[in-house]
Amino acid sequence: HPIDRAVSMFYYIRVADWEPSYKPELKDWTLEQYAQSDIVENNWMTRQLSNTLGGELTEENLSKAMEVIRRKFLVGLMSQIEPTMARAEKFFRWTFHVNPPNQEACRERLMSGGANSNKANKKEGPKEGDEAWTLLAHQNNFDLRLYSYIEQLFVEQEAFVQDLPDNFRNVDATCCKCYPQTFPPEGFDCPEPVKNGDA
């Protein structure tokens, strides 16, 4: 969601001293101050997709961004992470090939907590109607409309995989780490374990 992204960016650039965008002076700022500053990002996604990094945005920019997403993306939603991942597995025909029980356990851990969720530093975001939310919504007015379109597209794109079975990742799954080993028909080299100290 654009507001969640903006809030996350504010808290991130205050501490990410490894980033070129690092702004230590923001440690003493409120979210409202950030939202009214010239540092806050303005409709980042719409700008990226319409190739308009500066200046005023128009309805034409939004239309272009929507068209790029419609034609070029299989969309997913963090708020719908399990259906998003299941759809990607079906769409890209991803199945397990190394050790299905371990891969399933790993997948469950990632779906429930993520590998880069940064939960320890997560801050409570503003609620719709709060001053900070309203100010950030003003800076992301096109991105909010783009996000609504993405939510609609997420529902429509279910048609891409509707004929594929649920749990597709286990269809014809093979296990090169099991005994006896099984391998996919197209051939597959079982990955070697990575040893500590190896480059």
Side-chain angles (χ1 to χ4, degrees):
H1 191 277
I3 304 301
D4 296 337
R5 184 187 178 286
V7 170
S8 178
M9 179 60 72
F10 168 64
Y11 288 113
Y12 179 73
I13 63 176
R14 292 168 21 141
V15 298
D17 58 6
W18 55 91
E19 293 281 0
S21 59
Y22 175 53
K23 302 269 188 236
E25 65 273 17
L26 298 188
K27 287 181 183 174
D28 297 323
W29 284 26
T30 66
L31 189 54
E32 290 81 5
Q33 288 172 304
Y34 171 70
Q36 296 176 80
S37 75
D38 60 358
I39 297 170
V40 68
E41 290 182 336
N42 174 271
N43 292 298
W44 185 85
M45 186 63 68
T46 303
R47 289 183 179 284
Q48 295 297 315
L49 293 172
S50 67
N51 197 26
T52 308
L53 303 184
E56 292 295 316
L57 292 176
T58 66
E59 292 295 321
E60 185 178 333
N61 297 115
L62 179 61
S63 294
K64 185 183 285 187
M66 288 176 170
E67 181 65 9
V68 168
I69 287 178
R70 186 186 66 76
R71 292 182 58 228
K72 305 285 186 181
F73 288 83
L74 177 70
V75 300
L77 299 171
M78 289 297 295
S79 62
Q80 299 283 329
I81 192 65
E82 173 60 39
T84 292
M85 188 63 186
R87 183 174 301 170
E89 290 163 347
K90 292 177 184 182
F91 186 83
F92 294 108
R93 308 301 199 265
W94 292 335
T95 58
F96 292 147
H97 291 304
V98 178
N99 186 330
N102 285 359
Q103 288 175 280
E104 188 66 37
C106 178
R107 182 186 186 280
E108 287 177 23
R109 281 192 308 275
L110 290 172
M111 293 297 102
S112 63
N116 189 24
S117 65
N118 198 18
K119 286 184 179 176
N121 294 316
K122 189 150 178 85
K123 305 284 193 266
E124 183 70 26
K127 305 284 185 256
E128 189 168 357
D130 292 348
E131 180 185 8
W133 199 99
T134 302
L135 291 167
L136 290 170
H138 176 72
Q139 290 290 342
N140 292 283
N141 57 331
F142 285 101
D143 276 5
L144 284 166
R145 291 169 59 196
L146 183 63
Y147 185 78
S148 291
Y149 176 71
I150 290 167
E151 289 179 312
Q152 172 192 331
L153 205 55
F154 182 75
V155 173
E156 293 172 11
Q157 287 183 349
E158 176 62 26
F160 292 168
V161 296
Q162 68 185 6
D163 295 332
L164 294 173
D166 292 334
N167 240 5
F168 184 84
R169 62 191 173 275
N170 287 305
V171 171
D172 296 327
T174 58
C175 184
C176 69
K177 299 261 180 184
C178 299
Y179 185 79
Q181 293 178 329
T182 57
F183 294 94
E186 71 274 7
F188 183 79
D189 292 327
C190 199
E192 294 294 322
V194 176
K195 297 180 179 123
N196 290 335
D198 287 356

